[in-house]
Amino acid sequence: MGFLKKIAASIMCADMLNVQTELERLEKTDCDLLHLDVMDGVFVDNLALGPEWMASVKKQTNLPFDIHLATEMPEKYVEMFRFLQPETISFHIEAAAHPVLLIKRLKNYGIKPSIALNPVTPLEDILPYIDEVDQILLMTVPTGFAGQTFQQETLEKLRELKNILAQRNLQPLIEVDGNINTQTISWMKKAMPDVFVLGTSALFQGGDANSYQERIQEVRQTINAYR
């Protein structure tokens, strides 16, 4: 695709006791998006990031929001978070009762609809909707927790998805999320996605003196080497 590759920082993986400082550090980088995971303790065995907290974050950053609803009943959560006017909201095909209606609702709100699927979910489940969405979020680990091992079988799914989009002349962005770093990006060289969610393994890890911009630049150099 002819789009510039984008970097999204997953704020859930940052130091949650010092979020303002973390946002200030991210503002000094060329990060493109702030990725925010919403978890309901039902669709996944975890809880994360409510609307009031996000509203506070929005006051502290100019980064566009990329919201990922890892929830049952995504229709309900879209209503809870739409006031934030995120750039994108991803909902899971595994949880949506009426994907077409939800996609239309997001468009009516001026929000780019994105459809997400877990590693175990076949691509066939999203194919009826790929001509209506602006983005497809391909999880490379099971949704719910940071620090999981990248599932290499998702590489074939990524290649297959790229081929399907090319055959149909469709151009939704492909976003990948789950242990995305320079090594796992190099594994995607035959089918590069468009949006890379960086979390613990590439951006917010400790143990070195590199700034966030230096870490993001290293990722961009890897992406550019395989474009």
Side-chain angles (χ1 to χ4, degrees):
M1 295 182 189
F3 299 102
L4 293 175
K5 306 303 184 183
K6 295 184 178 182
I7 300 295
S10 180
I11 195 64
M12 187 183 79
C13 300
D15 181 353
M16 299 298 277
L17 292 179
N18 296 285
V19 174
Q20 184 172 352
T21 299
E22 294 283 60
L23 291 170
E24 290 171 355
R25 294 179 69 186
L26 288 172
E27 287 285 342
K28 297 175 183 177
T29 74
D30 60 353
C31 178
D32 301 292
L33 300 163
L34 194 66
H35 186 82
L36 301 112
D37 291 294
V38 178
M39 303 182 189
D40 62 356
V42 180
F43 184 73
V44 294
D45 294 330
N46 201 357
L47 294 168
L49 308 189
E52 292 183 4
W53 185 87
M54 285 193 198
S56 297
V57 168
K58 194 172 181 67
K59 295 176 182 178
Q60 303 292 328
T61 182
N62 292 314
L63 288 170
F65 278 16
D66 173 39
I67 295 178
H68 172 202
L69 299 178
T71 68
E72 295 289 344
M73 297 186 292
E75 297 83 1
K76 177 178 76 171
Y77 288 92
V78 163
E79 296 304 315
M80 291 172 62
F81 288 90
R82 70 183 179 95
F83 78 97
L84 295 165
Q85 278 299 293
E87 180 168 310
T88 307
I89 288 183
S90 298
F91 66 89
H92 272 265
I93 189 60
E94 302 94 343
H98 303 287
V100 172
L101 295 179
L102 186 51
I103 289 167
K104 289 181 178 178
R105 186 184 302 180
L106 286 165
K107 289 181 177 180
N108 288 338
Y109 292 154
I111 300 168
K112 295 177 181 177
S114 171
I115 196 162
L117 69 163
N118 274 313
V120 298
T121 304
L123 280 178
E124 287 75 16
D125 288 10
I126 68 166
L127 294 186
Y129 316 107
I130 59 174
D131 60 340
E132 297 293 335
V133 296
D134 289 277
Q135 181 176 277
I136 298 164
L137 171 55
L138 188 66
M139 295 300 301
T140 53
V141 303
T143 304
F145 293 91
Q148 298 184 75
T149 301
F150 184 96
Q151 297 200 356
Q152 293 212 26
E153 59 268 27
T154 59
L155 295 172
E156 179 56 35
K157 183 181 287 187
L158 174 60
R159 287 191 287 269
E160 184 180 351
L161 177 58
K162 293 274 285 191
N163 288 335
I164 291 170
L165 294 178
Q167 290 167 6
R168 300 189 184 186
N169 196 28
L170 299 174
Q171 294 188 326
L173 300 181
I174 300 176
E175 182 175 37
V176 288
D177 182 9
N179 201 354
I180 304 301
N181 54 51
T182 54
Q183 181 183 41
T184 56
I185 291 170
S186 71
W187 296 342
M188 303 177 196
K189 60 186 177 183
K190 294 183 179 179
M192 292 295 284
D194 306 288
V195 185
F196 301 80
V197 178
L198 304 186
T200 306
S201 68
L203 184 57
F204 295 109
Q205 86 281 17
D208 64 52
N210 289 348
S211 68
Y212 285 176
Q213 177 57 23
E214 288 171 323
R215 294 173 188 170
I216 289 173
Q217 188 60 36
E218 183 180 7
V219 168
R220 288 198 188 278
Q221 289 172 352
T222 302
I223 293 169
N224 291 334
Y226 294 109
R227 289 183 63 176

